[in-house]
Amino acid sequence: MFVNPLAPYQPRFTSAEFELLKQLRLDDLECSISSTLVEGAYARCGRLCVDRLKLIFETLSTEIGELSFLDLGCANGMFCIGLKALGARRVIGIDNDQHSHTLKMEISHCLDQGREDALKFGLDVEFLDRNLLTVMQTRDCDLECDVVMSLSVFHHLFLGYGYLPSDAPMVVLGDRAQFFFRWVEEHCKKYFIFETHENVFADWGPSQIADNLLATRIFESVRCLGETVGFDGKTRGLWLCSR
């Protein structure tokens, strides 16, 4: 699939698609967005993304109204907008355009897009312009949430910023990676959601990923919610870690 480097990495909902979202017609929403993903200069976005939103909602639908979400590396806020529209109690998105070099894409003013969409659809979503590495230097009680998400960011953080040793396929093997998990432990009350990526987890099967995440002694259970498709067409796993 061709990825337009000037397009948003995540789709932005049209008014008609937002109505589908509110009506919980997620399959129709997925079809609507995928039908407009065309090759060439007018490519709408880098990745469909609705497959991940569906898995998260299906898993947490019975309690979503009671949950607060923190989206680390929220890009233009598609998941923040989606989760708030689906009933989430509180949603915070954090990003900073300085990370875009790891994507090899020019995502300019991504938070501005999120704020515009939140205003357009009348949603109370908090967007914070902060660098993730700076955020993780200190504990911030205001960022404590029931659910911490690291969607298509986990591998950029470790590969792009050197938080993962080049010969280690799992983050718990490096001291610098423990730094990240300590921050998660301090800010995540119930669930941590992240994606695997072939460059980080190529040699690991599901049981090894789960065993190593449990080895952090932060999570009581770890399970794969299902497979999603990246902008490169390769499948990734979406994981839910419960405290």
Side-chain angles (χ1 to χ4, degrees), residues 3-59:
V3 178
N4 178 3
L6 299 180
Y9 185 56
Q10 300 171 344
R12 299 179 69 181
F13 300 121
T14 65
S15 295
E17 288 167 351
F18 184 71
E19 288 304 314
L20 294 176
L21 180 64
K22 290 197 301 181
Q23 296 169 23
L24 306 184
R25 295 168 57 187
L26 300 186
D27 289 336
D28 292 336
L29 173 63
E30 187 171 21
C31 289
S32 175
I33 294 175
S34 62
S35 68
T36 62
L37 296 180
V38 296
E39 294 187 1
Y42 299 103
R44 179 175 177 184
C45 63
R47 188 172 176 188
L48 178 62
C49 295
V50 182
D51 50 0
R52 289 178 288 173
L53 183 62
K54 286 169 60 178
L55 286 172
I56 295 170
F57 179 68
E58 289 167 0
T59 303

Side-chain angles (χ1 to χ4, degrees), residues 32-223:
S32 175
I33 294 175
S34 62
S35 68
T36 62
L37 296 180
V38 296
E39 294 187 1
Y42 299 103
R44 179 175 177 184
C45 63
R47 188 172 176 188
L48 178 62
C49 295
V50 182
D51 50 0
R52 289 178 288 173
L53 183 62
K54 286 169 60 178
L55 286 172
I56 295 170
F57 179 68
E58 289 167 0
T59 303
L60 302 178
S61 60
T62 59
E63 54 183 318
I64 193 169
E66 303 171 357
L67 297 176
S68 56
F69 289 80
L70 174 64
D71 188 0
L72 299 174
C74 66
N76 53 292
M78 178 266 185
F79 291 101
C80 295
I81 298 295
L83 289 167
K84 189 63 180 178
L86 290 170
R89 179 175 60 83
R90 183 190 184 196
V91 180
I92 306 171
I94 292 179
D95 212 326
N96 184 283
D97 293 335
Q98 295 176 16
H99 82 283
S100 62
H101 70 279
T102 65
L103 293 175
K104 298 181 174 62
M105 300 174 72
E106 296 297 328
I107 304 177
S108 60
H109 310 297
C110 59
L111 291 186
D112 289 342
Q113 295 177 0
R115 294 185 180 110
E116 287 174 3
D117 290 343
L119 181 63
K120 174 182 177 181
F121 298 126
L123 299 175
D124 182 15
V125 177
E126 302 165 58
F127 287 108
L128 305 178
D129 185 354
R130 299 185 189 176
N131 182 279
L132 292 185
L133 298 185
T134 302
V135 167
M136 291 175 191
Q137 296 298 319
T138 59
R139 181 170 183 172
D140 187 340
C141 295
D142 290 336
L143 297 182
E144 292 179 12
C145 285
D146 299 307
V147 185
V148 173
M149 303 193 306
S150 181
L151 304 179
S152 197
V153 170
F154 204 61
H155 53 285
H156 292 300
L157 181 64
F158 294 107
L159 294 175
Y161 292 111
Y163 265 63
L164 183 70
S166 59
D167 59 346
M170 190 54 216
V171 291
V172 298
L173 301 181
D175 291 338
R176 298 185 71 192
Q178 293 287 0
F179 173 72
F180 171 78
F181 274 108
R182 283 197 297 271
W183 191 92
V184 170
E185 184 175 22
E186 292 174 342
H187 295 81
C188 173
K189 298 179 182 179
K190 296 190 70 172
Y191 305 114
F192 174 55
I193 301 175
F194 80 102
E195 278 183 294
T196 54
H197 184 272
E198 61 275 6
N199 288 343
V200 178
F201 302 93
D203 299 327
W204 290 69
S207 61
Q208 291 166 301
I209 292 172
D211 287 346
N212 279 272
L213 283 167
L214 290 172
T216 63
R217 298 186 179 180
I218 298 173
F219 310 112
E220 293 187 2
S221 65
V222 176
R223 65 188 177 102

Side-chain angles (χ1 to χ4, degrees), residues 225-240:
L225 300 182
E227 291 186 341
T228 64
V229 180
F231 67 87
D232 53 7
K234 297 180 180 180
T235 59
R236 302 177 182 180
L238 186 68
W239 292 80
L240 177 77

